Amino acid sequence: MKPRMEIRYEPTPADTAAHLRHLRDQGRPPDPPLWIVLLGLGLGLAVAARTDAPDWRDVLLFGTAALFGLSGLALALWRRCYPDTADTAPPTGVCRLVVTPAGLVRAAGPEAGFLAWPDLAALVEGPEHFHLHAVSGPLWTLPKRALPEPDGPRAFADLVRRYWQAQPGHRRRRLPDRPERPGRRVLAGFAEALRGGFRLALFRPLEGGAVRTLGGGVLAGLLALRLGVSALGDYAAALPRPRFDAYGLIDHGAGMLLFLLSGLALGGLARDTKPLLGLLGLIAAAEWLTSALYRLAYAALPGGGETAAPWIGWALFLAWFLWNFAIVFRAVGGVYRQPAPVALFLASAFALLDWGVGFQLPVQEIFYPAEDEATAAPAPRIDAEEVLYRQHRLLREATDALAPQRPGVADLYFVGFAGESDEQVFAHEVGYALDLFDRRFDTQGRSIALVNSPDTLVRWPIANRHALDAALQAVARRMDPKEDVLFLFLTSHGSKDHKLSVRFEPLPLDDLPAATLKAALDRAGIRQRIVVVSACYSGGFLDALKDDDSLILTAARRDRASFGCGVDSEFTYFGQAYFVEALAQTRSFVAAFDMARQTIERREQAEGNEPSLPQIHVGKNIAPKLRALEQRLAAPAAKPRPGNRPLKP
């Protein structure tokens, strides 16, 4: 039977004084260095002075930096005013300390504590006391008078050292006779966590010392290392002209916070939070290795992963995900000593919170490639006042140039609307569609474009709600509402609340909601209309606009994004498939939509994108009008009746 020792004693005021004195001398955590506090305050002030109009991320960064600095000052002041309140005094009353093969058990009245051997950091022997230091910080003080003389103290120390050395992670090591300094303790724990994390990642058995409770400083260092890996990867990807983005730190910080909250939830489900720091430390250390290898593998793909086949990137991501899940599964099973079904449940809960929620967060790199100023086109200078005063003339010229309706001919009128100026793909689509309709759909003289682009400021009116309303009113005055049809094409970014982005810096423009567009069409009195909305979540416009007299086409379902926008794009996926390819083969707007939808589905599937699911609504009253219009456009050039109907007042 293994030796077991039981000790009973009652602490005296002298024991309490010796305990606190030893704790202050060796075990008390240091105050935060002054330079760290000043760095936090300086960072907050720098962010506050960086911009005249800070957004919410600037305010968040300033607030957290200021809170960090001020809390550090408050902590240092509190410890100087109340030096003993942060220390753990020994218990009072009769105490019972039992040395067992599993660890030390101490009971004092109704309170009891347990110190496992892997968590014992040092056994310090003084003239009259033993001081037992734990890895996580608590200190136990045992008076020597409680041990029978003459061999009691030696027998106690030998038994403690023998049990400590019997642990798998402590073989061929000597129990320290003094606690490590905080810095060395953190470094030792950091190295131990890295060693344990690598063993996890490489599917090697965990050593006993690797699952001990690590301090918060070790976990902070591991998270900082993971942040460094991400920063280094972003820096390499942004070469040769990397530029730092402070917002990337905020986004990565949100990911770290989610990691900690996921670990806290795991500890709550396991009903044991004591080994939580060690568990998170092992996972963070292993993820450092997997993230570094994942980035290296992705960078080794042709074109840095940008030109490789989509399935290769997805396969690489799936391998990374399964590898990390296996790490969490093994860490949970090893630290909590749980059977496989329980470990699988806990690992799944962690993955759901940390990765399932984390992948929904916006991705912001810490470094991004800066544009080459020598070759970059200079940003056009826009005089907002001049642009605004020019709009009345441009809009009047565009609407006055609209040709009137031809009696006996089902005329088609075209209105294009490009709402976003930051990406020229929208202006290019409207320009292409206008030219296409003038050539193939007989809208020459009956087309108008509203475009937000610095390249068309002197050619076309800008796109906003008032200009669109005026254009629709002008078209309505030329049309025969029973005979003619409007083709309205709108392209821009879209939002989940079903608004089209209307943006042209520095002009203060308002977005275009679906309800506002419907009101403008109804106000103009244009009943027979074809409305094409190319934007993310544009299916919400179909819900608002559909009726028996309308054909409504949208690039995506109301809850789906569409693809193809960007500063380097010439057409969106929908614009390319519908206007460039489908309408070049047929004059049927419905048939062209079916062709475009199939093209988009194939392209999205090949690239691994979530299907955008373009939508269509064909009103029962407009269907025969569309067939008649298609037949007229497909026939040889028609001869209109002489004379023009006067303009409506």
Side-chain angles (χ1 to χ4, degrees):
M1 183 174 180
K2 294 185 178 180
R4 187 172 183 271
M5 180 181 292
E6 182 174 332
I7 307 163
R8 291 179 179 270
Y9 65 97
E10 184 173 358
T12 65
D15 297 332
T16 301
H19 171 87
L20 294 176
R21 184 170 55 253
H22 182 81
L23 187 64
R24 284 193 297 268
D25 292 342
Q26 301 191 40
R28 181 185 175 192
D31 292 333
L34 181 61
W35 69 268
I36 293 182
V37 174
L38 294 178
L39 177 64
L41 291 174
L43 178 61
L45 293 175
V47 172
R50 187 174 65 88
T51 176
D52 295 332
D55 63 11
W56 68 269
R57 291 186 290 187
D58 293 315
V59 174
L60 179 63
L61 182 58
F62 164 71
T64 52
L67 178 63
F68 171 77
L70 293 175
S71 63
L73 289 175
L75 176 62
L77 181 63
W78 176 71
R79 281 181 172 167
R80 279 164 174 75
C81 294
Y82 305 98
D84 293 336
T85 56
D87 299 334
T88 303
T92 59
V94 178
C95 297
R96 176 172 170 265
L97 181 68
V98 182
V99 184
T100 72
L104 295 164
V105 181
R106 185 178 68 175
E111 299 181 358
F114 176 72
L115 180 62
W117 295 121
D119 295 336
L120 182 63
L123 175 64
V124 181
E125 183 176 359
E128 298 180 358
H129 298 84
F130 282 109
H131 303 287
L132 297 101
H133 289 260
V135 173
S136 56
L139 171 70
W140 290 1
T141 298
L142 173 67
K144 286 186 176 180
R145 68 175 185 277
L147 301 167
E149 295 290 348
D151 296 330
R154 179 178 298 178
F156 171 78
D158 290 344
L159 185 60
V160 168
R161 292 190 180 101
R162 188 162 65 250
Y163 278 141
W164 187 89
Q165 291 175 341
Q167 303 304 307
H170 298 158
R171 292 171 183 171
R172 296 187 298 276
R173 293 175 58 188
R174 179 181 176 83
L175 176 63
D177 57 4
R178 66 182 60 185
E180 294 178 321
R181 293 183 178 181
R184 294 189 61 183
R185 185 163 62 243
V186 170
L187 289 177
F190 189 79
E192 183 176 339
L194 284 179
R195 184 166 56 250
F198 285 5
R199 293 184 69 87
L200 266 180
L202 300 177
F203 300 99
R204 301 288 301 278
L206 279 177
E207 295 179 347
V211 299
R212 72 180 188 179
T213 302
L214 300 175
V218 175
L219 181 58
L222 292 169
L223 293 178
L225 180 62
R226 189 169 73 169
L227 177 63
V229 171
S230 298
L232 184 62
D234 292 344
Y235 184 89
L239 291 173
R241 294 176 56 82
R243 179 168 294 179
F244 174 73
D245 186 357
Y247 291 148
L249 295 178
I250 296 179
D251 293 333
H252 281 74
M256 292 181 184
L257 178 60
L258 185 60
F259 174 78
L260 297 176
L261 292 176
S262 302
L264 188 61
L266 187 150
L269 291 174
R271 298 181 179 180
D272 185 7
T273 58
K274 291 181 180 178
L276 196 55
L277 286 177
L279 173 68
L280 293 179
L282 291 175
I283 295 175
E287 285 186 352
W288 172 81
L289 176 63
T290 61
S291 297
L293 294 179
Y294 175 77
R295 281 182 170 269
L296 290 174
Y298 191 82
L301 295 176
E306 298 298 329
T307 60
W311 70 267
I312 298 179
W314 277 108
L316 188 61
F317 173 80
L318 181 61
W320 173 86
F321 180 87
L322 294 177
W323 191 8
N324 279 275
F325 186 83
I327 287 171
V328 175
F329 172 75
R330 296 189 66 236
V332 171
V335 172
Y336 280 103
R337 306 295 183 184
Q338 295 291 344
V342 178
L344 180 62
F345 170 74
L346 295 175
S348 300
F350 180 88
L352 174 63
L353 294 174
D354 188 31
W355 304 328
V357 176
F359 289 156
Q360 307 304 317
L361 297 176
V363 178
Q364 183 73 34
E365 288 79 10
I366 301 177
F367 291 92
Y368 65 94
E371 193 173 9
D372 191 348
E373 298 178 358
T375 59
R381 181 182 179 275
I382 298 176
D383 188 327
E385 184 175 352
E386 180 183 351
V387 171
L388 289 175
Y389 276 101
R390 186 190 301 147
Q391 294 312 302
H392 179 71
R393 176 177 57 82
L394 287 176
L395 193 57
R396 186 184 67 249
E397 291 175 353
T399 55
D400 289 349
L402 288 172
Q405 182 267 350
R406 296 172 293 186
V409 177
D411 285 312
L412 184 66
Y413 284 80
F414 176 90
V415 176
F417 184 97
E420 178 70 51
S421 66
D422 289 347
E423 299 175 7
Q424 294 302 300
V425 60
F426 306 116
H428 186 266
E429 281 192 339
V430 167
Y432 181 90
L434 184 144
D435 180 69
L436 173 70
F437 272 69
D438 284 353
R439 289 185 292 103
R440 280 183 56 83
F441 295 91
D442 195 24
T443 62
Q444 182 71 42
R446 296 177 179 82
S447 57
I448 184 172
L450 307 174
V451 176
N452 288 335
S453 169
D455 298 334
T456 61
L457 280 176
V458 298
R459 179 183 177 191
W460 290 327
I462 63 174
N464 60 26
R465 293 190 293 175
H466 295 286
L468 179 60
D469 191 72
L472 294 176
Q473 294 285 346
V475 168
R477 289 195 295 269
R478 266 74 173 172
M479 294 176 66
D480 182 341
K482 297 181 181 180
E483 192 172 59
D484 301 330
V485 179
L486 167 70
F487 190 101
L488 175 60
F489 172 45
L490 306 102
T491 178
S492 185
H493 292 304
S495 63
K496 293 183 178 180
D497 56 351
H498 309 128
K499 295 180 181 178
L500 280 182
S501 173
V502 181
R503 180 182 174 89
F504 196 175
E505 295 293 344
L507 304 179
L509 305 180
D510 296 327
D511 291 342
L512 180 63
T516 301
L517 176 60
K518 182 180 187 304
L521 288 167
D522 293 343
R523 190 164 47 248
I526 302 175
R527 292 175 50 208
Q528 299 180 145
R529 55 208 189 198
I530 305 167
V531 182
V532 178
V533 186
S534 178
C536 294
Y537 314 108
S538 50
F541 281 78
L542 182 142
D543 298 336
L545 299 174
K546 64 182 180 180
D547 57 31
D548 292 341
D549 297 308
S550 300
L551 169 65
I552 312 297
L553 311 177
T554 67
R557 202 170 69 181
R558 67 189 327 271
D559 58 345
R560 294 295 179 90
S562 57
F563 302 95
C565 57
V567 293
D568 298 325
S569 300
E570 189 175 12
F571 292 96
T572 63
Y573 287 12
F574 184 85
Q576 174 74 29
Y578 189 70
F579 290 100
V580 178
E581 299 177 14
L583 287 181
Q585 304 176 47
T586 179
R587 287 183 171 86
S588 169
F589 299 117
V590 175
F593 176 83
D594 293 334
M595 297 166 58
R597 179 163 51 187
Q598 296 175 18
T599 301
I600 294 170
E601 287 177 355
R602 290 193 297 268
R603 184 173 182 179
E604 291 173 342
Q605 184 177 9
E607 297 180 0
N609 295 325
E610 183 182 36
S612 56
L613 303 178
Q615 301 291 295
I616 184 173
H617 164 78
V618 184
K620 64 180 181 179
N621 295 337
I622 201 173
K625 177 62 68 174
L626 294 176
R627 289 192 293 269
L629 180 62
E630 178 185 353
Q631 293 173 1
R632 182 183 75 79
L633 294 172
K639 295 181 179 181
R641 298 176 182 175
N644 289 326
R645 181 171 300 179
L647 297 181
K648 293 186 290 184

